[in-house]
Amino acid sequence: MALVGIVANPAASKDIRRLVAQGRVVPDWEKVNIVRRALLGLQSVGVDRVLAMPDSSHLVQRAADDPHLSVEVELLRMTALFNEGDTVRAAAAMADEGVNCVITLGGDGTNRAVAKGSRDMAMVAISTGTNNVFPVMVEGTTAGMAAGLVASGTVPMEDATVRSKTLAVMVDGEDRDIALVDVALSKERFVATRAIWDMNTIYEVFLTRAEPSSIGLSSIGARLEAVSLTDGGGLHYRIADLRQEEEEGRPHPNPPPEGEGTKDSEAEIYVRAPIAPGSVPVVGIESWQRLADGQRVTVEQRHSTVALDGERSFSVNPDNLLEIEVRRDGPPVVSVDAALRHAAAAGVFRV
């Protein structure tokens, strides 16, 4: 019997970036509508039971309150603290209960928390966050249908999913945490406001993906060399301190000069990238390189905070050895288009 999980984050899209940039806000009522449409999509392909994470806004309960729904929606029996740890524990509990596929509503941080709980469940990630690379903009109805088809085995996992990548973050030789999209190192010594929004504090970035249509730190990497979900390895770049250049009487060029900087050059180059909604500045790049799967990079030992998928997570000091490695060990990501295409070709939707 197909069992599908739902993790809906009411806090997604409500961080400081909606104030300091033109970030969108997805209100709770729209998240409720997305979940309801996903439930109707699940129901249409024969899923009759859903396991959901409890949340502070009761998004799933509100969505399930619909006379057209016959799907049994069960909340996980867990003490909710309404923080990231809830999502990690919920994902682990879902995997233990036999959930085959989980639908998530949130941003990169929400999906990272799910992956920390379990990397075995297939994921249909619906974007309702601010700077999103991992989740995608997809209609809730078709997302639910795809999740149900994969969870039931009607569409084989290998025909509709791609194993995602992670950035393993190691401190003093031991795994400390992971990111699904980016690890950013900040000059600030304390976590403070978790969301990354001031580029002047960032000096080094590691990416699993750098796609031209993305936004945020990933978009900067995409101006150097595109790296997709299916490509091997990742990308690493160091950001130049443009404020220091200007103080020294070396204003950065605008637009960047043609032909300046190469893949293997230490000379600065400049790119124009959408680092936040409505913000497309010139960013100076001190150096950059492609990373192979399994390649481990040792970071300069200094005071800094480590941000994972757009949120500051912990601090390190000069006594800590910080290393970053790209691995192909993340959760399988469902392609909604591929799942529906395979189902249609097999005649699943014929009545």
Side-chain angles (χ1 to χ4, degrees):
M1 180 183 297
L3 180 59
V4 174
I6 295 181
V7 172
N9 180 6
S13 83
K14 298 176 183 177
D15 62 49
I16 193 172
R17 286 168 292 192
R18 79 189 192 280
L19 303 176
V20 299
Q22 305 301 312
R24 67 171 180 155
V25 176
V26 182
D28 284 354
W29 60 263
E30 175 57 15
K31 292 173 185 175
V32 169
N33 285 340
I34 294 171
V35 174
R36 181 174 293 133
R37 297 196 296 269
L39 291 171
L40 289 165
L42 288 167
Q43 180 173 287
S44 74
V45 295
V47 174
D48 56 14
R49 182 169 173 245
V50 168
L51 200 57
M53 180 187 78
D55 69 85
S56 58
S57 295
H58 310 292
L59 300 177
V60 179
Q61 297 101 304
R62 290 157 62 187
D65 185 16
D66 186 288
H68 299 98
L69 279 170
S70 59
V71 177
E72 177 189 352
V73 178
E74 177 185 343
L75 291 182
L76 285 167
R77 296 181 179 179
M78 57 180 283
T79 301
L81 303 176
F82 307 123
N83 57 26
E84 182 185 276
D86 286 354
T87 304
V88 177
R89 290 183 292 113
M94 287 178 182
D96 289 343
E97 289 288 336
V99 167
N100 309 103
C101 184
V102 59
I103 299 172
T104 63
L105 276 73
D108 293 335
T110 302
N111 288 283
R112 167 180 162 269
V114 171
K116 287 178 66 175
S118 173
R119 301 188 203 177
D120 296 324
M121 296 184 295
M123 296 177 65
V124 176
I126 302 175
S127 172
T128 60
T130 307
N131 290 5
N132 301 315
V133 176
F134 191 87
V136 296
M137 300 288 289
V138 61
E139 162 56 36
T141 313
T142 54
M145 294 174 72
L149 291 166
V150 170
S152 65
T154 303
V155 173
M157 189 85 71
E158 60 270 19
D159 290 335
T161 65
V162 176
R163 176 71 68 173
S164 59
K165 294 175 277 189
T166 66
L167 288 163
V169 182
M170 291 154 282
V171 178
D172 298 331
E174 296 184 358
D175 284 2
R176 171 68 183 267
D177 216 323
I178 65 165
L180 290 177
V181 177
D182 58 70
V183 173
L185 305 182
S186 169
K187 303 169 189 174
E188 297 175 327
R189 297 191 179 194
F190 306 102
V191 172
T193 301
R194 295 195 66 191
I196 289 287
W197 61 273
D198 184 358
M199 283 298 298
N200 290 320
T201 69
I202 303 300
Y203 67 89
E204 193 163 359
V205 177
F206 296 81
L207 301 169
T208 61
R209 298 163 68 174
E211 292 164 308
S213 60
S214 64
I215 196 166
L217 299 175
S218 178
S219 74
I220 298 172
R223 272 62 185 166
L224 302 169
E225 184 171 329
V227 183
S228 72
L229 173 65
T230 56
D231 290 334
L235 192 142
H236 167 219
Y237 63 85
R238 291 182 61 89
I239 297 176
D241 189 342
L242 298 186
R243 289 185 303 181
Q244 181 177 348
E245 288 186 7
E246 292 170 353
E247 289 170 0
E248 295 173 353
R250 298 185 293 117
H252 60 80
N254 189 8
E258 293 184 5
E260 180 176 338
T262 65
K263 183 175 180 179
D264 299 314
S265 173
E266 290 297 319
E268 284 185 3
I269 60 175
Y270 301 85
V271 299
R272 192 183 298 279
I275 62 170
S279 177
V280 192
V282 170
V283 180
I285 305 298
E286 181 180 300
S287 62
W288 66 283
Q289 63 175 328
R290 273 297 305 270
L291 300 175
D293 286 335
Q295 181 177 349
R296 185 175 299 188
V297 176
T298 301
V299 177
E300 175 189 358
Q301 293 177 254
R302 56 181 288 181
H303 287 289
S304 61
T305 58
V306 180
L308 306 172
D309 291 330
E311 295 185 340
R312 297 183 185 91
S313 296
F314 61 92
S315 301
V316 292
N317 61 53
D319 293 329
N320 296 130
L321 175 64
L322 181 65
E323 299 171 293
I324 315 292
E325 181 180 319
V326 181
R327 298 174 181 173
R328 179 70 73 170
D329 63 353
V333 177
V334 175
S335 165
V336 172
D337 182 70
L340 297 179
R341 190 183 330 114
H342 280 282
V348 172
F349 303 124
R350 296 178 188 178
V351 295

